[in-house]
Amino acid sequence: MWQYILKRVLGLIPLLLVVSFVIFMFIHLIPGDPARLIAGKKATLEEVQAIRENLGLDKPLLEQYFLYLKDLLSGNLGYSIQSGAPVSELIGDRIMPTLGLTFMSISWALVIGILLGIVSAVFRNRWPDHLGMLTAVSGISLPNFWVGLVLIQIFSVQLGWLPTGGNEGWQSYILPSFALGAGIMAMIARFTRSSLVNTMKQDYIRTGRAKGLGSRAIVFGHALKNSLIPVVTVAGLQFGFLLGGSVVVETVFSFPGLGRLLIDSIQMRDYPVVQAEILLFSLQFILVNLLVDIVYSFLNPKIRYQ
């Protein structure tokens, strides 16, 4: 098992180097000049050039990349062009609210999604199945920003139960987490139903029924565990999407997380912050996939030997 994990971890090193190179080049090839934004519209060409040299933006791109990589390997993410603050501090201030929002979203999405999938599979082609799948299709079809606006209108403006935005305590996480997790819940429900329906057709399930096992013992004692293998994979991938995909929902709810920081930094061409955030999103996506592979190898040991 440890040999499998070590092999997977070593395989991440070249992948991370490629990701860092692509992100760096992509950010620096975006039209716009941060030196001009900092200097202002009335600045002379000499003043803009002086700022560009001070930021190191006058050097060739490859030289800039290797300097960036050197700082990155030493744990230095650089300094914000806009505020001058260390990028690590800016991200450190915003990462906990985003992580809290993501964990809350994936938690309720997993619980409700798996329950809906089980009910739909057990009552296949009957009204609980149709109702569950209607909910799932609605969750996938509705854009999360629209769900967020509707939730604000109902629970904040009309009922006054929850805040419209910001981060003023645990109540501020409820509406954004529902808006962010609705699509994930729907996807997990559909995968759980499909996987459980296929598992219920297996020979060992028919053998269990022939021995007189009840429906509850068959579903929860035998079928559900094997059905959750693809669901674990989907949930892990969606967790990565949630961290990176919280940008729109955080903007709708004025939530002070990484998404808002990314939008503000892109508008100001704040290269160090944008690079660090996208690299962080990529890294967490890679680590989540690694964790999913490890969990998958526990559920299905044949994976380790392939």
Side-chain angles (χ1 to χ4, degrees), residues 74-92:
S74 62
N76 180 13
L77 296 177
Y79 294 86
S80 166
I81 292 176
Q82 184 184 4
S83 65
V87 174
S88 55
E89 285 186 11
L90 292 175
I91 290 180

Side-chain angles (χ1 to χ4, degrees), residues 7-222:
K7 184 180 173 184
R8 295 285 290 111
V9 171
L10 290 177
L12 296 182
I13 295 174
L15 179 61
L16 287 172
L17 285 174
V18 171
V19 168
S20 69
F21 181 77
V22 171
I23 290 172
F24 184 88
M25 290 300 170
F26 176 74
I27 297 300
H28 282 73
L29 292 176
I30 292 177
D33 187 355
R36 169 60 69 182
L37 288 173
I38 294 172
K41 293 180 180 177
K42 296 181 180 177
T44 63
L45 287 176
E46 290 75 17
E47 290 171 334
V48 173
Q49 181 61 23
I51 293 174
R52 194 174 289 127
E53 289 175 4
N54 186 41
L55 296 174
L57 297 175
D58 58 323
K59 295 183 173 65
L61 266 182
L62 276 178
E63 185 179 347
Q64 289 185 50
Y65 171 71
F66 284 115
L67 290 173
Y68 163 71
L69 191 61
K70 181 183 173 186
D71 289 340
L72 196 62
L73 292 175
S74 62
N76 180 13
L77 296 177
Y79 294 86
S80 166
I81 292 176
Q82 184 184 4
S83 65
V87 174
S88 55
E89 285 186 11
L90 292 175
I91 290 180
D93 292 340
R94 302 292 190 97
I95 195 169
M96 292 313 294
T98 296
L99 278 178
L101 182 61
T102 303
F103 275 112
M104 188 177 282
S105 302
I106 197 72
S107 298
W108 83 261
L110 270 174
V111 172
I112 304 297
I114 290 175
L115 283 176
L116 269 182
I118 293 173
V119 171
S120 296
V122 171
F123 296 97
R124 189 159 63 108
N125 295 330
R126 284 183 277 176
W127 71 264
D129 180 24
H130 299 316
L131 183 62
M133 288 304 100
L134 178 64
T135 306
V137 171
S138 302
I140 291 175
S141 306
L142 300 175
N144 54 16
F145 71 87
W146 185 84
V147 174
L149 292 174
V150 171
L151 291 174
I152 289 174
Q153 180 64 27
I154 296 174
F155 294 99
S156 301
V157 178
Q158 300 294 331
L159 300 175
W161 290 352
L162 295 167
T164 56
N167 184 10
E168 301 170 356
W170 62 270
Q171 298 94 332
S172 303
Y173 287 79
I174 295 176
L175 295 185
S177 69
F178 270 92
L180 193 58
I184 312 300
M185 177 276 295
M187 196 172 295
I188 290 172
R190 290 179 64 84
F191 267 90
T192 304
R193 178 192 182 277
S194 173
S195 182
L196 190 55
V197 165
N198 287 332
T199 305
M200 296 286 278
K201 295 176 182 175
Q202 299 296 315
D203 290 340
Y204 71 93
I205 297 295
R206 282 195 286 269
T207 303
R209 282 186 172 143
K211 288 183 175 180
L213 288 177
S215 297
R216 185 176 299 178
I218 287 175
V219 172
F220 293 101
H222 299 276

Side-chain angles (χ1 to χ4, degrees), residues 217-230:
I218 287 175
V219 172
F220 293 101
H222 299 276
L224 185 58
K225 180 184 175 184
N226 293 327
S227 305
L228 288 181
I229 291 176

Side-chain angles (χ1 to χ4, degrees), residues 229-275:
I229 291 176
V231 177
V232 168
T233 307
V234 172
L237 292 174
Q238 294 306 317
F239 183 81
F241 281 119
L242 279 179
L243 274 177
S246 61
V247 176
V248 176
V249 172
E250 287 185 6
T251 304
V252 169
F253 286 92
S254 300
F255 193 82
L258 289 175
R260 284 291 305 281
L261 179 63
L262 181 62
I263 293 292
D264 295 341
S265 303
I266 289 174
Q267 289 173 344
M268 291 302 298
R269 300 292 189 275
D270 199 341
Y271 290 158
V273 179
V274 177
Q275 285 170 186

